[in-house]
Amino acid sequence: MTDTTDSKATERRGFIESLELDMRMLGMIGALLLISIAFNLATGGNYLSPRNIFNLTIQTVSVAIMATGMVFIIVMRNIDLSVGALLAICSALMAMTQARWLPGVLGLELGSPLIAPLTILFGLAVGTLVGAFNGWLIGYQAIPAFIVTLGGFLIWRYAGWYLTAGQTIAPLDQTFLLFGGAEGTLGEFWSWVVGALASAFALWAIWSARRSKVAHEFPVKPVWAEIALGVIAVGAIMGFIAILNAYSIPTGKLRRIFEARGEALPEGLSMGHGLPISVLILIVVAIAMTVIARKTRLGRYIFATGGNPDAAELSGINTRFLTVKVFALMGFLCGLSAVVASARLQSHANDIGTLDELRVIAAAVIGGTALSGGSGTIYGAILGALIMQSLASGMGMVGVDSPLQNIVVGAVLVFAVWIDIQYRKRWGAK
């Protein structure tokens, strides 16, 4: 009996290994499904409604964008506690630029086609420069990242407070607001187009990976497994688009859209929101960061340095300049997140980005990024951000107060790290 059981267990392990499944990712997806089902039952089906899924996605974007950069920071055995404050100063600068400085200096009023591009470029530039300065202090001045970014945590948020005199800055430019997701969506048709392109890209990626393995005589998955994986990927992408298209634009808002065109709203017309522009930005960031991590010299240097900094330096990698690059990239992503966050809120408020540094670090860690360095994935960090936002959204819908929500998120973070440790022991991950 024991021999039979051991034989079945061995066959099962061999089957799983032959499919090359990422058990950590499957576990995270399973946890997300359990969370969604539990809250959907608790809210009488409202949690998984198209409206809530739409809101959940746009609420996740700003933290998820920064979490992709935090993966590189932690992989290199550093930490960045200033991301929430950097988001706040970038948001304050962009709000003042479009609401005060450009109208006052250049005479460009809100609605001018130059307002949004100039504002966004300014915010991204400031975020990148501040990030590069952090990296210079860490890499060339040998100040610990914890101290540098803790100082930034205290400096940049309150610099933003003084910049705005503690006031909420609104209204913001209408074109700028499109990047928040609540106002800017692709609509049903273009959402289907993006979904089709994303599905084609997913199938190409699966086929390309298989072809590369065959060319190098590496083991490959069974053909049926590749087909099943492709079907699942396409189904998930198109299903997500269908849900977003199912969330109808309110009649009053739809009427205002038609009136702005000089047209009357046809009787009984219904239109779905579709894919938010902010989510499209996140998708582009995720693809770009994944390509950097897996296909570029920069990515190889980042993971090599995180795995063994001394060996990386002895091999000729300029680890100090690499630190500047990684923190500059983190600053750029903070500026981009500031665009998304302030556009979603349709104003700059002094509490914007509060505790985002903890949410970003938690998303990366829950997503499997090792605090010891050298290991982490972009998709894992995004999934970690989605899990955290799903918990927060679900608890808010069932009436859990904020202190208890933070307790639960903290417990989930500790539990996720414990699971990651057990995973590494079980599957031999380095």
Side-chain angles (χ1 to χ4, degrees), residues 38-353:
F39 282 129
N40 196 54
L41 292 174
T43 58
N46 290 327
Y47 183 82
L48 290 179
S49 65
R51 176 182 179 180
N52 191 59
I53 291 177
F54 179 90
N55 291 330
L56 183 62
T57 57
I58 62 175
Q59 290 165 359
T60 303
V61 170
S62 63
V63 168
I65 288 174
M66 291 188 289
T68 65
M70 189 61 72
V71 170
F72 286 175
I73 297 288
I74 297 177
V75 162
M76 286 190 63
R77 305 188 181 189
N78 288 311
I79 201 73
D80 193 341
L81 301 177
S82 66
V83 293
L86 186 49
L87 182 152
I89 185 66
C90 289
S91 174
L93 286 167
M94 288 188 289
M96 293 296 292
T97 297
Q98 59 188 295
R100 303 284 191 275
W101 298 337
L102 286 179
V105 176
L106 299 180
L108 297 176
E109 299 297 333
L110 292 179
S112 168
L114 292 177
I115 286 280
L118 290 176
T119 296
I120 293 171
L121 287 174
F122 183 49
L124 295 178
V126 169
T128 304
L129 289 173
V130 172
F133 179 65
N134 287 341
W136 177 78
L137 291 174
I138 296 163
Y140 285 91
Q141 303 304 311
I143 305 175
F146 182 88
I147 298 301
V148 171
T149 58
L150 179 60
F153 168 82
L154 298 172
I155 293 169
W156 300 117
R157 176 170 298 280
Y158 296 105
W161 188 92
Y162 279 109
L163 187 67
T164 62
Q167 300 177 350
T168 296
I169 306 300
L172 303 181
D173 183 73
Q174 288 298 315
T175 302
F176 182 85
L177 295 181
L178 296 178
F179 294 93
E183 296 294 329
T185 60
L186 298 183
E188 295 183 21
F189 173 76
W190 287 109
S191 296
W192 286 122
V193 170
V194 171
L197 292 175
S199 299
F201 177 79
L203 294 175
W204 174 83
I206 294 171
W207 174 78
S208 179
R210 181 181 181 87
R211 185 182 62 174
S212 178
K213 289 181 179 180
V214 170
H216 293 87
E217 299 183 352
F218 289 160
V220 295
K221 301 175 186 177
V223 175
W224 66 264
E226 300 280 17
I227 294 174
L229 186 61
V231 170
I232 292 172
V234 172
I237 293 170
M238 302 307 285
F240 177 62
I241 296 298
I243 292 172
L244 295 178
N245 282 339
Y247 177 34
S248 299
I249 300 174
T251 303
K253 182 178 180 180
L254 197 58
R255 183 178 292 108
R256 289 193 297 272
I257 293 174
F258 273 80
E259 289 175 352
R261 300 175 186 170
E263 304 174 5
L265 176 66
E267 188 69 25
L269 178 65
S270 176
M271 296 176 61
H273 280 80
L275 185 71
I277 292 176
S278 61
V279 176
L280 183 60
I281 293 173
L282 174 60
I283 293 171
V284 172
V285 169
I287 293 173
M289 293 293 282
T290 300
V291 169
I292 291 173
R294 295 184 176 182
K295 302 294 185 181
T296 67
R297 180 182 299 177
L298 175 63
R300 290 192 293 271
Y301 283 0
I302 289 171
F303 282 87
T305 302
N308 192 325
D310 294 333
E313 192 163 4
L314 289 172
S315 67
I317 297 175
N318 188 342
T319 56
R320 292 181 297 178
F321 188 47
L322 182 64
T323 301
V324 175
K325 290 179 182 178
V326 170
F327 275 89
L329 178 59
M330 183 75 253
F332 174 87
L333 293 174
C334 288
L336 185 59
S337 293
V339 174
V340 172
S342 57
R344 180 174 66 86
L345 297 174
Q346 301 187 16
S347 66
H348 165 77
N350 290 306
D351 62 348
I352 191 170

